[in-house]
Amino acid sequence: MYRRSYLVRSVFAVLALSPVAASAHPGPRIWVNVEGGQVTTYAGAYPPGDPSAYGRARVFTQPLADDSGVFDTDFPGYQQVPGGSIPTNTNFSYDMTGPLLWYDPATASRAARFRTVANHFGAAPPVPQMAVTNELFQTKVSGDDFVAGDLAYAYNGGAGDHNHLTYTLLGDGQTAGGGADGIYVLPLRLTSPGYDPSDTFFLLLGKNAADADLNDAAALAGQTLVLPGDANTDGVVNFADYQHLELGFGKGDPGWADGDFNCDGVVDIADFRLLYDNYGRRADGASIASAAPPPLPDGSMVPEPVGAASIACALTASLLPRRVRRGDRRSRPNCNQPTV
């Protein structure tokens, strides 16, 4: 399917995945911890240093190296964050939580944005994908949706325990080599038995991409991808974001500000559900306790605080006319009725 030289990685497979402490493999890290029953991810410098210098993060960047026409990298590695509290003998697996994305830089007519590779390159082959291989030589390839992965990191109690996944660009979706120059974005999460999965984090992998472009893409990912539903990128998902989504329905070539939160080139029920799931959530992971989630488009309602009924009715009314035009006039809500 695609070629790799595994001689070096076979050594690390024996060392990193065994009870013996892993040998040094210097380079960038996605630092890992377990906090409050959930897997968490951090950014910070390597080698390990002052724990106060490490902060929660969900966006990471790395250039792909040219290995005789094959573009890949086995950085960043995975390691316990300095000062972390992972129990000994804890294994972490990775999942690809969605399709591979493409960073589409700004043009004279629109702002920079992210697109699924299928949307950007066209659904018909060849569509680039990313192969992910662990140190046990297990490989999974990104696809159109969620892809369950394999072992990513084994923490055996040693301060230097770490593992590496290898990310290889498949230019035609099947074989290593080829693929457009630019920045590919792989959405990932870490899981471990007995803990909640990590929030999705995003690995931005640049093929012949300038550092400045990687930095710009990372900044945009931090404003958008980490909080689906935040159309106006103010750090919270609320009714103002719903208004953006409502105006984006049916718009050609929509962007994030139009409500295209899954980057597939259309604003539809899938984007509404992302907004619904994150309604009231902030970029730092906290929630606004008084926020009233919008109703699902089928008219089902969720409990809401006093004073939010008019908002819920407006949300329902703005979506249901599409059904009414198909003849189901009974589904239109009556927003003039008093609430109790």
Side-chain angles (χ1 to χ4, degrees):
M1 177 137 144
Y2 59 92
R3 63 180 182 82
R4 282 292 306 161
S5 172
Y6 290 113
L7 179 58
V8 174
R9 284 180 184 78
S10 65
V11 175
F12 285 111
V14 173
L15 293 175
L17 298 178
S18 70
V20 179
S23 60
H25 195 178
R29 293 287 193 262
I30 293 175
W31 302 95
V32 182
N33 201 20
V34 172
E35 300 167 89
Q38 182 184 23
V39 182
T40 52
T41 54
Y42 281 74
Y46 181 90
D50 180 0
S52 66
Y54 296 77
R56 293 279 290 272
R58 292 172 56 196
V59 178
F60 305 88
T61 64
Q62 180 66 23
L64 294 171
D66 185 355
D67 181 11
S68 300
V70 172
F71 284 82
D72 64 5
T73 183
D74 55 5
F75 290 109
Y78 295 84
Q79 188 168 336
Q80 178 179 245
V81 67
S85 56
I86 302 175
T88 300
N89 298 325
T90 300
N91 291 335
F92 299 87
S93 297
Y94 75 91
D95 295 320
M96 292 178 269
T97 60
L100 186 67
L101 304 178
W102 169 264
Y103 172 64
D104 206 1
T107 67
S109 60
R110 57 164 178 76
R113 59 189 181 177
F114 294 102
R115 285 288 183 259
T116 65
V117 288
N119 181 26
H120 180 79
F121 293 97
V127 175
Q129 297 293 350
M130 198 70 65
V132 182
T133 304
N134 68 7
E135 292 179 322
L136 295 176
F137 316 123
Q138 298 168 314
T139 297
K140 295 292 176 63
V141 177
S142 59
D144 295 332
D145 207 337
F146 179 92
V147 176
D150 297 302
L151 182 65
Y153 168 43
Y155 177 70
N156 299 312
D161 289 351
H162 66 279
N163 295 146
H164 294 261
L165 300 174
T166 299
Y167 308 91
T168 304
L169 179 61
L170 312 180
D172 63 359
Q174 297 181 345
T175 55
D181 288 351
I183 298 171
Y184 298 85
V185 184
L186 188 63
L188 299 165
R189 73 175 185 181
L190 293 176
T191 66
S192 184
Y195 303 107
D196 291 335
S198 72
D199 290 328
T200 294
F201 59 94
F202 301 89
L203 183 55
L204 280 61
L205 300 166
K207 179 189 176 188
N208 294 325
D211 289 345
D213 292 334
L214 271 171
N215 291 337
D216 288 344
L220 182 61
Q223 294 173 334
T224 58
L225 299 180
V226 298
L227 187 57
D230 185 16
N232 60 7
T233 64
D234 66 351
V236 63
V237 180
N238 55 23
F239 186 64
D241 301 302
Y242 172 79
Q243 292 176 308
H244 281 257
L245 181 146
E246 182 185 23
L247 292 173
F249 263 86
K251 182 177 180 179
D253 197 27
W256 186 271
D258 304 308
D260 184 16
F261 305 129
N262 60 6
C263 307
D264 66 352
V266 62
V267 180
D268 57 13
I269 185 62
D271 300 295
F272 183 91
R273 288 189 176 277
L274 288 171
L275 184 147
Y276 179 88
D277 290 343
N278 289 294
Y279 201 83
R281 188 178 182 187
R282 299 193 324 213
D284 61 6
S287 296
I288 301 174
S290 61
L296 291 173
D298 64 2
S300 62
M301 300 292 291
V302 295
E304 54 187 351
V306 176
S310 60
I311 293 178
C313 191
L315 290 170
T316 307
S318 62
L319 286 177
L320 289 181
R322 291 172 176 78
R323 296 181 179 180
V324 170
R325 286 194 291 271
R326 293 198 294 268
D328 186 12
R329 296 189 177 274
R330 292 172 298 175
S331 64
R332 185 186 296 276
N334 183 354
C335 292
N336 295 319
Q337 292 181 346
T339 57
V340 292

